[in-house]
Amino acid sequence: MTYDDACALLDDDHNEVARLFQQYKAAHTPNEQLLLARRICRELQVHMRIEEEIFYPAFARAARNDELVQEGEREHQEARALVERIEQAPTDARLMLELEDAVLHHVNDEREKMFPQARKTQGLDLAQLAQQLETRKSELTAGHPA
C-alpha cells in the first residue's frame, strides 16, 4: 500500500497491532497465542524502529519539539522491555494485556499530540517521510512474512 502521509502509515500500523491484540485475546489455543504474540512483538519492533530512525528525527527537526519525541522514546523503551519479557513467556495473558495497555497509551499520545502537530508543521514533508518509512519497513520485514 502506498501512503502520501507518514502519520497515516504509522496509524495503520497502530490499527493492525490493535487488531492483533484482539485476535490474541480471542485465541483458543496456546499455539494460536504463541503465533500471535510473536507477530505482535515483531510488528511493534519494526514500527518502533521506523519511528525512531525516520519519523521522530524529522519531526523533532521540523517541529522543534524534542519533548514529544522524548516521550515517545520513553514509551518505546517501556514497550521493548515488555516485548523482551513476552518473548520468554508468549502465552502470558497478563503480560500481553500490560503491553496492550502501554501500546494503546502510546497510540493515543501520538494521535492526539504528535500527529496533529506534524500535519501542521511547515517543512515536514509527510509524503516523502511516508516513502522513507515504507522502504525501511520493507527492509526490516524482508524474510519475515506477516
Side-chain angles (χ1 to χ4, degrees), residues 5-141:
D5 181 327
C7 298
L9 180 150
L10 295 171
D11 212 29
D12 273 0
D13 284 358
H14 296 157
N15 292 334
E16 175 63 13
V17 169
R19 187 182 65 76
L20 291 171
F21 277 118
Q22 293 307 311
Q23 288 180 3
Y24 179 90
K25 290 189 278 191
H28 297 292
T29 67
N31 191 51
E32 284 178 283
Q33 289 178 323
L34 173 68
L35 294 173
L36 286 162
R38 285 181 179 160
R39 182 158 176 214
I40 289 166
C41 291
R42 186 173 57 248
E43 295 275 339
L44 288 173
Q45 289 166 330
V46 168
H47 178 81
M48 290 185 288
R49 281 199 56 190
I50 66 173
E51 278 190 334
E52 292 170 358
E53 290 177 6
I54 299 166
F55 186 77
Y56 285 178
F59 175 83
R61 278 190 307 273
R64 291 180 167 80
N65 191 333
D66 290 332
E67 184 180 320
L68 284 178
V69 170
Q70 289 169 355
E71 181 179 342
E73 289 172 341
R74 275 192 304 276
E75 291 170 347
H76 283 183
Q77 289 173 348
E78 178 185 357
R80 276 194 184 87
L82 288 165
V83 164
E84 286 178 21
R85 291 174 59 198
I86 288 166
E87 287 174 337
Q88 303 305 312
T91 57
D92 185 330
R94 184 188 55 75
L95 275 178
M96 288 299 290
L97 185 58
E98 196 174 332
L99 178 61
E100 181 183 26
D101 287 344
V103 167
L104 291 178
H105 174 83
H106 175 70
V107 166
N108 286 333
D109 281 351
E110 286 188 345
R111 284 179 178 162
E112 293 175 12
K113 299 173 188 172
M114 187 176 279
F115 293 169
Q117 185 172 350
R119 287 186 171 119
K120 290 188 286 186
T121 298
Q122 291 186 354
L124 188 59
D125 186 342
L126 294 177
Q128 180 199 22
L129 279 177
Q131 291 175 349
Q132 291 175 7
L133 292 166
E134 284 181 283
T135 299
R136 184 61 176 137
K137 188 174 178 179
S138 293
E139 292 169 0
L140 293 170
T141 58

